[in-house]
Amino acid sequence: MTAPFSRYVALGDSFTEGVGDELPDGRMRGWADFVALGLQASATDPIGYANLAIRGRKLGPIIAEQLEPALALNPDLITFNGGGNDIMRPRVAIGWVVDETVKLVHRALEQPGLHVAVLAGANPSRHLPMGGLMQKRGDQLADAVLTALKPTPVTLVNNWADEILTDIRYWSVDKLHLNALGHARVASNVLTALGVPVPDEWGVEEVAAAGSGSRSRNTAAYYREFVLPWIGRRVTGRSSGDGRKAKRPTLLPVD
């Protein structure tokens, strides 16, 4: 079988890097890795895959640091997600995030033979402190980006509207990043949107049909381990991605 894409590059932040889906050796996997595996499973020839995403990146640095290096790899598929870290800051200009996303897409579409998929991130607001504000901003951002890009030939994947993904079973212990189950479901959403079969062995539909998990409390230990360090980075202008490099900066065969 010939896969629709053979050179895949992922751009974004922690969502695309795969934070929350740690392998036993400490490496991050994540939905983009699953997408690459799905592409390879549907192909007879080797698929090349690169992932330039770095955790903590706001939209501006994603565009400045990742777009041109991604295009230089001459991909035939790019996936993009950004803006999640922007809406978590005290102030955010949703209109600017939308405009910059549209500019990125149009720049990518200038490259012949390149298909672009734009993802809205999964919605963690149900489980987070002050989640109502994130819900409101996330709704605005997802709706505005998807509306602005609807006339373009990009594939749109609205994970934010996937109600199943809001279940606590899909989230890691920090409740901000997806776990392996969540990343597999996002990958399933992406592959389905691209018209690529989802491997049965992932069990995505079986997990979804298994029922909801119990909502957990945000305890004092949770605040100490996750919330306070996040606030500390915001106050000091630091990021969880400071000093980090892309985990897969060049196109490599899919394992």
Side-chain angles (χ1 to χ4, degrees), residues 24-166:
D25 62 4
R27 290 182 298 137
M28 301 294 161
R29 182 172 49 184
W31 66 263
D33 288 32
F34 279 117
V35 167
L37 288 167
L39 292 174
Q40 186 61 74
S42 68
T44 52
D45 295 325
I47 299 295
Y49 163 53
N51 190 322
L52 308 185
I54 298 177
R55 67 192 68 180
R57 291 296 194 264
K58 295 170 67 176
L59 180 61
I62 291 175
I63 297 172
E65 299 169 5
Q66 299 176 27
L67 178 58
E68 293 305 324
L71 297 178
L73 295 173
N74 194 30
D76 54 15
L77 172 65
I78 277 180
T79 57
F80 169 77
N81 167 267
N85 286 302
D86 295 76
I87 66 172
M88 292 178 64
R89 297 313 195 263
R91 296 181 181 178
V92 58
I94 298 291
W96 179 87
V97 174
V98 175
D99 290 345
E100 291 302 304
T101 299
V102 172
K103 290 178 185 178
L104 176 148
V105 168
H106 284 295
R107 170 67 185 93
L109 291 175
E110 294 174 357
Q111 187 134 322
L114 175 59
H115 186 77
V116 180
V118 175
L119 285 71
N123 181 0
S125 63
R126 186 173 297 178
H127 313 292
L128 294 175
M130 298 183 65
L133 178 59
M134 178 176 284
Q135 174 78 54
K136 179 180 178 180
R137 288 178 171 182
D139 288 346
Q140 293 174 344
L141 179 60
D143 290 345
V145 168
L146 297 176
T147 298
L149 293 178
K150 192 172 183 179
T152 69
V154 305
T155 295
L156 302 173
V157 187
N158 191 0
N159 298 291
W160 188 265
D162 186 346
E163 184 66 21
I164 290 175
L165 269 176
T166 65

Side-chain angles (χ1 to χ4, degrees), residues 4 16 51 85 125 137 140 151 167-168 205 215 217 238:
T16 303
N51 190 322
N85 286 302
S125 63
R137 288 178 171 182
Q140 293 174 344
D167 192 285
I168 192 63
E205 294 306 320
R215 185 170 180 176
R217 293 177 56 246
R238 293 176 292 120

